[in-house]
Amino acid sequence: MTEQATYVRTAHLPLDELTPFPGNAKRGNVDTILQSLRRNGQYRSLVVRQITDGPLIVLAGNHTMQALDAHGSGDCGQTVKTSGGTKPCGICQNDPAWEPGARCELVTCDEDTARRINIVDNRAADLGTYDFEALSELLGSLEDLDGTGYTPQDVEDITALLAAPPDEVQQLAEHHGEPNEDVFRPQIKLTVDSETFDRWRLALDAHLGKDDEAKLHHLLDEVEKHRAEAAA
């Protein structure tokens, strides 16, 4: 009989005491999470499995942990604009003494339940859909898109989707499944081995950019530059 998760306590823990979930299959957008944390603060705890005489394993929130780690120690020097004025970074509070850590909810459970929690936490969001009229209203009510994960281009795409004739929306649904803000933007999907994926991430992360799309632009610019130099 499997053991269901049992809440133990909530605590703020240094990141170096936490262990990422082994084999976590999700590849989250750490840059977007980092921007959200800087703007909104850590509004959701990591879910951490406590094992007697064992490691503290992050079941849910692995990419939040990565984003906090990417921030690094000390004052990042960044501030955010809010309706109430300029506020400090939501992670470090611009404190030079800040060390990477996270608010965690510790639970106990067996290995089988731990794996199920990790899997469903990643999968549940994938299975959700959107009410795009409600989303459009929410985004339109904000002064800016900082910390939302959305860009002005996303808002334009959602607006175009809502304005599309019913037959076009139906056609999009037939070809893409449930309509979403990405249907107007081409997607690149490749299945590769782990070594190729690691090389791709290293190449991409070697370039500056607020997200993977911006990094890809810089990478492609570099490729075109090398080609032009080789042809000269």
Side-chain angles (χ1 to χ4, degrees), residues 4 99 108 119 135 137 151 199 217:
Q4 295 178 332
E99 290 296 332
T108 58
I119 292 170
L135 177 59
E137 290 181 8
T151 67
R199 291 178 61 193
H217 279 298

Side-chain angles (χ1 to χ4, degrees), residues 39 106 126 190 203:
R39 174 60 179 79
L106 279 71
D126 298 337
L190 295 173

Side-chain angles (χ1 to χ4, degrees), residues 88-162:
C89 168
I91 299 175
C92 66
Q93 298 296 311
N94 298 131
D95 180 0
W98 187 82
E99 290 296 332
R103 186 179 68 255
C104 303
E105 290 190 0
L106 279 71
V107 301
T108 58
C109 63
D110 61 13
E111 183 67 24
D112 180 80
T113 300
R115 291 177 178 176
R116 293 175 187 274
I117 290 172
N118 174 263
I119 292 170
V120 74
D121 185 72
N122 291 329
R123 180 58 172 156
D126 298 337
L127 295 175
T129 60
Y130 279 99
D131 178 332
F132 285 95
E133 289 187 3
L135 177 59
S136 180
E137 290 181 8
L138 279 173
L139 294 172
S141 70
L142 301 175
E143 294 181 358
D144 58 62
L145 299 174
D146 291 349
T148 67
Y150 285 89
T151 67
Q153 181 63 57
D154 293 329
V155 175
E156 289 183 17
D157 291 343
I158 295 169
T159 301
L161 176 62
L162 292 174

Side-chain angles (χ1 to χ4, degrees), residues 177-193:
E178 193 70 24
N180 60 62
E181 67 270 23
D182 290 328
V183 298
F184 292 95
R185 307 181 72 182
Q187 295 187 14
I188 301 173
K189 292 186 177 180
L190 295 173
T191 301
V192 297
D193 58 42

